[in-house]
Amino acid sequence: MDDKRQLIFDATEKIIATKGLQGLSMQQIASEAGVATGTIYRYFKDKDELIAELRKNVLRLVADRILADIDNGSIEDRFKRVWHNIVNFGRQRTSTNLSYEQYIHLPGIDNDAHQGFERQTFGKLHELFEQGRELKIFHPLQDKVLFAIAFEPAVSLGRSIRRGQMQYDVNEIEQACHLCWLAILTPTYLQK
């Protein structure tokens, strides 16, 4: 990716993370990025396009972090690695993490094009769910339902730790991960 484009993304993330989206202006972004306002318009036709591309950039960064090493090991190993990656990502106070919280509330997140991009970006996670269903390890539920049951607790725990609402306790986190794993397993698989 072009260095100036990344500078613009980084500056936009920082501003959104610290000040929110409401007062975001191209002048603020240019100042934060150390570029001329006109430079931004060489990369993005307007603020809406910049935000749409930032959404994609943030989503890619998040996916890279939480899907790290998802191809190695058993389905259980892979599940638990992703689960812990989500907690660890969520508990860190980074501009990408804070931008992601803003990102999930941005307009356009529910349109078909963005939903397709999100599904593609998290394709490895969808493959994990599909494998689990095919092998009759996971309940035959939609991916969104499996994610809500299995991984939303990890998102919530990471956020709570980052906000200082709870202490990070390795044993509790391990137990929570195991409970989320058990929650999506079929009774047949549990009996093995």
Side-chain angles (χ1 to χ4, degrees):
M1 184 180 299
D2 185 292
D3 288 342
K4 286 187 182 179
R5 183 178 169 94
Q6 190 58 51
L7 281 173
I8 294 165
F9 279 151
D10 293 344
T12 306
E13 280 183 44
K14 183 176 180 184
I15 293 167
I16 290 172
T18 57
K19 299 177 182 175
L21 187 64
Q22 304 80 315
L24 183 68
S25 72
M26 295 301 233
Q27 291 78 21
Q28 282 178 315
I29 296 167
S31 178
E32 182 67 38
V35 300
T37 304
T39 301
I40 297 173
Y41 290 104
R42 282 192 283 180
Y43 295 94
F44 310 99
K45 72 177 180 180
D46 57 25
K47 188 167 74 171
D48 290 339
E49 182 178 84
L50 169 58
I51 296 301
E53 289 301 312
L54 176 64
R55 257 196 322 258
K56 289 179 181 178
N57 190 57
V58 169
L59 197 61
R60 280 189 290 267
L61 292 172
V62 170
D64 287 347
R65 293 286 305 280
I66 69 171
L67 300 179
D69 208 23
I70 192 173
D71 293 325
N72 298 318
S74 68
I75 287 183
E76 181 176 0
D77 292 338
R78 293 160 56 205
F79 170 89
K80 289 185 174 182
R81 189 173 306 113
V82 169
W83 196 95
H84 283 287
N85 288 347
I86 291 171
V87 171
N88 290 330
F89 175 75
R91 59 186 263 232
Q92 296 171 8
R93 189 169 190 81
T94 65
S95 61
T96 299
N97 193 318
L98 297 174
S99 292
Y100 183 73
E101 288 194 11
Q102 293 281 339
Y103 148 86
I104 60 176
H105 300 290
L106 292 175
I109 197 163
D110 293 325
N111 71 37
D112 291 341
H114 183 74
Q115 290 294 310
F117 178 80
E118 189 172 305
R119 184 162 181 83
Q120 177 187 9
T121 304
F122 286 93
K124 294 284 188 180
L125 184 58
H126 295 291
E127 289 173 19
L128 178 67
F129 287 149
E130 187 58 36
Q131 276 186 315
R133 283 188 298 261
E134 285 176 3
L135 295 171
K136 309 243 186 285
I137 295 172
F138 297 161
H139 287 285
L141 301 168
Q142 297 175 57
D143 290 0
K144 292 274 188 194
V145 176
L146 289 172
F147 188 90
I149 294 168
F151 292 118
E152 283 293 343
V155 172
S156 179
L157 288 168
R159 184 182 320 117
S160 293
I161 293 165
R162 182 182 72 244
R163 292 178 177 171
Q165 297 167 334
M166 65 176 281
Q167 294 296 313
Y168 180 81
D169 180 300
V170 174
N171 294 327
E172 283 185 345
I173 295 299
E174 282 297 329
Q175 186 174 2
C177 178
H178 185 67
L179 291 170
C180 288
W181 167 250
L182 292 175
I184 62 171
L185 298 180
T186 61
T188 309
Y189 184 79
L190 282 168
Q191 293 171 355
K192 289 182 179 183

